Structures are given as C-alpha cells and as structure tokens.
Amino acid sequence: CDGIDSCGNENEVCTKSRKFFSIFATPEQYNGKWSILHCVSGMEKLDTQFIKGDCVAVSFSFGGNQVLGKNSYIELLIPQGYSWDFDCQYIYGAAYVYLSCLNLCKSSPCILDKLVNIGSCVNQFRERVYSITSHNQLTFLVKNRRDGTYQNDIFPCDNGVCVDYSKVCNLVNDCGDGTDERNCKNNFGCHTNNEILPLSKVCDGSIDCFDFSDECNDQCIGNKMIISSLVVTVTGWIIGVLAMVLNLKIIPYSLKSINSSKTNESLANNTLLILINLGDLLVGLFIVTISAHNLYYGSSYCKMQLEWLTSASCSFVGVLNSVGITVSVLSMTTLSLFRVTSVSRSFPILSPVSGKEKLKLVIITFSIVTAALFTALIPL
C-alpha cells in the first residue's frame, strides 16, 4: 500500500482495507506518540522476525542537537527488538526519515545531512524565532499554531526551499532541485531527466524512464540483447544457416521433380513439398536475420530497442517468419489431407497428369500463399 499500483489491483485492495488510502509517508499517531511500523493499535504484540518484545518510545533529534527554546520533540514508538537488517525501500516520507536517521534501515544512511540554519527556507516561515543549537550553530524555530509549541523538524533543500519530512523520499521532487530525493535508497532516478520511480519499477521489463535507464542498467539481467542466451544465439545461427542452405539445395531438385511427374498424385506431392521447403527457407532467413541484428546491436540493444521495434527491418523479418510458418503449416496440412484421401480408397488408381489437376494445384498454391500473406500483413 505504497500508492503505486504494482500488482494490478493493489490500490483497490488497499482502499477497501483502510479508511483512507495514501502513500505511507507519515507515521500514525497513537497514544500521543508517532508509531513506526507495527507499533499501532491492535498490533503491539505482533511477533515476527523483526519484532521481539514490546514497543518502546524514543526521542528523535537529528545529529543529537538540542535547540534552545525547542519544546516539541518527536517521540516514536518502535519495536524493542527491531531488526537492523530491515529494508526500507518501500517506506517513504517522514517514516523513512525517522527510521534511516535512527540507523534502523538496512543500507540506508540518514537522509538529513544538514541542520536548518538562519539562511534556510527563503520566503517561508516569516514568523520564525531565531535560536542556537547545543553545538553553537544558529538556527530558528517555528511555532505550531495548534498547540503553541516550537519545533524545527523541516528539511532544508539546497536551493533554499524547505519542506516537511513527509515530503522527503516520497517519489516527488518537492524541493524543485531534487534534493529531497537525491540520497534516498527507496527510489530510482532516471538518468537524463527528473523522473523518480519506486524500486519496484526498476528491471520489471516495462520501460518507465524516457531514456530507458530503469531497464538499461547494470542491475537488470536478461534484457541487454535481442537474444540474451549464448546457447540460443549459437543454436539460432546453426539452425538458420542449415535451413537456408539445405532448402536452397532441395527446391531446385523438387522443381525438376514437378516437371517429371507422371501422375496427379506425384504432382500434388511435389508441389506441396516445394511449398513446405519454401516456408522452411523463409523461417531460416528469419532466424539468420534476427541473429545478425542481435550481433549488430550487441549490448546497445537495450537503449535502441524502440528504434529496432519500430523499424522497417523488424517488420520485414516479422512478415518473413509469419509467412514462412503459415505456408509450411498449411502445406503440410493439405498434403496430409491428400494422402489420407488416397489411402482411404479401396483401390487407389494413379491418374495421369491432367490440366484440371494442374489448375487445382495452382488454386491451392495461390490460396496458401495468399492466406500466409494476409495473416502476416494484416497486423501491420
């Protein structure tokens, strides 16, 4: 329930299971304290690999700094036996800030790298109260109009803007300069623009970044080339070349057999065998063409796949494959029907070649080729 519909119906399920639906960016308040993870009503005694024991309250103060006049410190309820190996990649906002800065996130350092100083938050918080930290640094406090307390739990961006903790590491560039998302370990930033994605969208087989960087990076395996397997590549070359060479050798021989056919049955068999050879030749040409393009693009295919998939070459090899397979299948089916019909006769009679039989074979050949072309070209 992170607000990203990763499962197809995740948002719908989360909406029905909660009174409200939103990205988990702010901990829930429970018994006057902010609750992290399982320390919420009804789940305090939950015993899992992460929780061993009751929840305890800790005070959150970035860098251990105490600020003169600050009388509102965030108290967090966290599991007492909380595992330090927890992965915070699907936690966002204030919850991510608190957990990372309490060293409770695996491989996620504290996102807060500097204190709010007197020059921060330009044109914001005009009623600020200037103060000093326990480390003798100048800062300011902001009065909470609801309870009258003073606090400075805000994130200073590099461009002088300040945002609330709930807007830090929440997949949105709230600062405007990307500072609030820059060092977060729960997101992925596209390489050439300001797009920010959840980690679930990286290497998922679907391109989300305009520069393809979410799929074309060192983390992703299996999508670098048109044919990623070396075994399949070598096998493709062998089968493709053999299919072309052998069928090119057989087709002239089959054409001679047609001219020497003495019976209608022999003429039909030889004609359909040529069509099967022709279909196999086209499939072999398709395999060789794909293998050649795989060699041409190499590891750069990932970033150039849109160029390839929309090219005339890709459409051409697609038509080759579709026509070849369709011609072979229809020809084999027709040949099987002819043979079944011949075998089913009690006393098969071999008829000499006639003009009527030749016309019938021309119509059958034309129909098979037309059906194959129709099947291949209609999707284009």
Side-chain angles (χ1 to χ4, degrees):
C1 295
D2 56 2
I4 309 300
D5 200 350
S6 307
C7 306
N9 63 343
E10 179 181 339
N11 288 349
E12 180 183 356
V13 172
C14 293
T15 302
K16 291 182 178 180
S17 63
R18 296 183 174 187
K19 294 181 180 179
F20 59 91
F21 175 68
S22 62
I23 291 178
F24 179 35
T26 303
E28 296 184 10
Q29 196 166 20
Y30 175 60
N31 288 342
K33 297 179 177 63
W34 295 103
S35 301
I36 291 290
L37 298 177
H38 304 296
C39 295
V40 294
S41 179
M43 301 183 70
E44 308 93 326
K45 302 297 183 181
L46 187 65
D47 187 13
T48 71
Q49 60 175 324
F50 301 119
I51 302 175
K52 302 296 180 185
D54 295 333
C55 295
V56 295
V58 297
S59 180
F60 177 79
S61 177
F62 169 57
N65 270 301
Q66 302 294 319
V67 181
L68 182 64
K70 181 176 180 179
N71 56 3
S72 176
Y73 287 91
I74 296 176
E75 280 198 290
L76 304 169
L77 282 173
I78 64 173
Q80 188 173 19
Y82 187 78
S83 171
W84 286 45
D85 290 331
F86 183 77
D87 196 338
C88 296
Q89 61 179 345
Y90 298 114
I91 296 178
Y92 307 94
Y96 183 89
V97 173
Y98 299 147
L99 287 175
S100 65
C101 292
L102 287 171
N103 295 321
L104 296 177
C105 281
K106 176 184 178 181
S107 303
S108 297
C110 181
I111 190 64
L112 304 177
D113 56 1
K114 59 183 177 181
L115 291 169
V116 179
N117 58 52
I118 59 175
S120 304
C121 315
V122 180
N123 298 324
Q124 295 176 276
F125 311 114
R126 295 184 180 276
E127 298 181 0
R128 62 180 67 182
V129 177
Y130 294 100
S131 183
I132 189 171
T133 71
S134 56
H135 294 168
N136 296 323
Q137 294 175 295
L138 292 176
T139 185
F140 66 86
L141 299 171
V142 178
K143 184 177 181 179
N144 188 325
R145 294 183 178 275
R146 288 177 296 179
D147 56 16
T149 59
Y150 288 88
Q151 53 88 20
N152 66 343
D153 299 312
I154 48 183
F155 180 85
C157 310
D158 286 352
N159 59 1
V161 176
C162 291
V163 297
D164 185 76
Y165 283 169
S166 63
K167 295 184 178 181
V168 179
C169 299
N170 68 336
L171 308 179
V172 180
N173 180 10
D174 296 288
C175 285
D177 62 356
T179 313
D180 55 315
E181 304 295 321
R182 183 172 58 199
N183 296 320
C184 307
K185 302 299 183 181
N186 63 351
N187 65 32
F188 177 86
C190 300
H191 293 171
T192 59
N193 50 37
N194 295 323
E195 291 177 278
I196 302 171
L197 305 176
L199 296 180
S200 59
K201 288 189 173 293
V202 180
C203 304
D204 64 346
S206 176
I207 297 171
D208 297 288
C209 293
F210 285 114
D211 59 2
F212 297 75
S213 56
D214 59 312
E215 300 299 321
C216 302
N217 58 68
D218 295 336
Q219 302 175 40
C220 304
I221 301 174
N223 60 353
K224 300 293 185 181
M225 304 176 69
I226 297 178
I227 306 174
S228 57
S229 171
L230 179 61
V231 174
V232 175
T233 301
V234 174
T235 304
W237 276 109
I238 295 173
I239 293 176
V241 171
L242 285 177
M244 290 181 62
V245 171
L246 295 178
N247 281 290
L248 283 173
K249 186 176 180 179
I250 293 173
I251 288 175
Y253 174 79
S254 299
L255 288 173
K256 292 180 181 179
S257 299
I258 288 180
N259 294 330
S260 61
S261 297
K262 302 299 183 181
T263 64
N264 289 332
E265 290 75 15
S266 176
L267 179 63
N269 284 342
N270 290 328
T271 301
L272 291 171
L273 284 174
I274 286 181
L275 288 177
I276 294 172
N277 294 145
L278 178 62
D280 292 344
L281 174 64
L282 294 178
V283 173
L285 180 59
F286 161 77
I287 295 174
V288 169
T289 305
I290 286 292
S291 300
H293 278 85
N294 181 59
L295 187 63
Y296 171 75
Y297 283 109
S299 60
S300 65
Y301 168 72
C302 189
K303 292 185 178 180
M304 300 180 69
Q305 58 183 305
L306 186 60
E307 174 187 320
W308 159 248
L309 293 174
T310 56
S311 67
S313 298
C314 183
S315 299
F316 172 71
V317 295
V319 170
L320 275 182
N321 184 49
S322 182
V323 170
I325 291 175
T326 306
V327 167
S328 292
V329 170
L330 292 180
S331 300
M332 285 188 288
T333 302
T334 306
L335 181 60
S336 299
L337 290 174
F338 276 4
R339 289 178 174 175
V340 168
T341 302
S342 177
V343 171
S344 63
R345 297 173 184 170
S346 300
F347 301 98
I349 300 175
L350 299 179
S351 307
V353 176
S354 63
K356 182 179 179 181
E357 185 67 20
K358 289 182 178 179
L359 178 61
K360 183 170 72 171
L361 287 174
V362 169
I363 294 174
I364 291 174
T365 301
F366 177 79
S367 300
I368 289 175
V369 174
T370 301
L373 290 172
F374 181 82
T375 304
L377 295 175
I378 281 299
L380 300 178

